[in-house]
Amino acid sequence: GAVVSQHPSRVICKSGTSVKIECRSLDFQATTMFWYRQFPKKSLMLMATSNEGSKATYEQGVEKDKFLINHASLTLSTLTVTSAHPEDSSFYICSAADAGRNQPQHFGDGTRLSIL
Amino acid sequence: AQSVTQLDSQVPVFEEAPVELRCNYSSSVSVYLFWYVQYPNQGLQLLLKYLSGSTLVKGINGFEAEFNKSQTSFHLRKPSVHISDTAEYFCAVSSQGGSEKLVFGKGTKLTVNP
């Protein structure tokens, strides 16, 4: 089946650094990718939707300058958390879909981000 | 706007017992419904989906769900659970087949005890 690879699975870094998370679709063309944030014991909150080759659409309340999303190819999207602070610590999950096939999204395994 | 309500935040059951995880949705347009499972520190795995057709949907790992339009429900069931079914379960709704953004419920933690 379709596989979405997310890297790194876990990252620990100091406050003030920027962290990049990659999301790759391994066996299909991901015309659309989604980035979610999940707080402990909470549901997934959609942060943004990115379509290949265009700017991401951010959900209300999500800072565009804080969470930079790039979807430069049909197999790769990146989320960069800029100048990360402890409150940015969370579990970030990406998903990918081929809008042309209108099939369910496939999810990555998530990235546990811890900011010290 | 769409929304999903998962009525139970936690469901403890004994091994080999049946289980039902409840999900109700609200939508002003056609809906497509999904159940996902999340194991600790992992992403989400699709259990099953309702796009159209038969209202009884069978998924992986012996799970099934029934779409009930009049009750706006999509409850997940399994006749006999295993320890390995212990996980978080999320119900989600989309206005399309899933390639559009999903709106998730808050999740139900299923704990299967020996």
Side-chain angles (χ1 to χ4, degrees):
Chain A
V3 177
V4 173
S5 174
Q6 190 171 338
H7 179 80
S9 58
R10 185 179 183 93
V11 59
I12 302 171
C13 58
K14 294 181 179 179
S15 183
T17 57
S18 293
V19 178
K20 180 183 284 189
I21 302 170
E22 294 187 347
C23 181
R24 293 179 184 273
S25 60
L26 299 184
D27 59 357
F28 68 101
Q29 293 186 329
T31 54
T32 307
M33 285 188 170
F34 304 88
W35 287 95
Y36 296 86
R37 181 172 179 176
Q38 186 177 31
F39 294 95
K41 301 187 186 300
K42 299 288 185 182
S43 187
L44 283 76
M45 179 192 78
L46 180 65
M47 299 174 66
T49 303
S50 73
N51 294 300
E52 185 267 337
S54 60
K55 289 184 178 180
T57 302
Y58 289 81
E59 295 298 304
Q60 192 173 10
V62 178
E63 299 176 61
K64 300 179 183 181
D65 296 331
K66 177 74 171 176
F67 299 100
L68 300 179
I69 291 172
N70 183 278
H71 191 167
S73 77
L74 284 171
T75 58
L76 175 65
S77 176
T78 60
L79 166 67
T80 301
V81 184
T82 61
S83 186
H85 293 286
E87 59 267 28
D88 299 323
S89 298
S90 195
F91 193 55
Y92 294 87
I93 306 175
C94 72
S95 71
D98 181 347
R101 295 186 178 183
N102 203 26
Q103 289 295 309
Q105 301 169 30
H106 297 278
F107 285 79
D109 279 340
T111 297
R112 173 73 59 192
L113 175 62
S114 301
I115 308 298
L116 304 177
Chain B
Q2 297 176 315
S3 66
V4 175
T5 302
Q6 290 184 244
L7 297 165
D8 306 297
S9 60
Q10 297 188 53
V11 173
V13 295
F14 288 108
E15 193 174 18
E16 298 184 4
V19 70
E20 177 180 83
L21 306 184
R22 297 181 292 171
C23 172
N24 287 88
Y25 67 90
S26 171
S27 177
S28 58
V29 297
S30 297
V31 292
Y32 301 87
L33 295 154
F34 307 83
W35 274 99
Y36 285 87
V37 60
Q38 184 181 34
Y39 299 101
N41 294 312
Q42 292 187 25
L44 275 67
Q45 181 181 7
L46 180 67
L47 277 178
L48 48 79
K49 61 184 181 290
Y50 172 77
L51 302 181
S52 64
S54 173
T55 56
L56 182 62
V57 180
K58 293 190 182 296
I60 62 171
N61 301 343
F63 284 94
E64 63 180 33
E66 185 157 19
F67 171 59
N68 188 319
K69 188 174 182 179
S70 63
Q71 309 236 344
T72 60
S73 68
F74 190 56
H75 300 332
L76 181 70
R77 301 185 184 98
K78 186 169 182 178
S80 176
V81 293
H82 302 290
I83 300 284
S84 58
D85 291 323
T86 295
E88 191 85 27
Y89 292 80
F90 293 97
C91 182
V93 64
S94 171
S95 59
Q96 292 194 17
S99 58
E100 290 295 316
K101 68 178 185 180
L102 293 166
V103 175
F104 285 91
K106 292 186 177 181
T108 297
K109 171 70 176 181
L110 174 65
T111 302
V112 181
N113 298 301

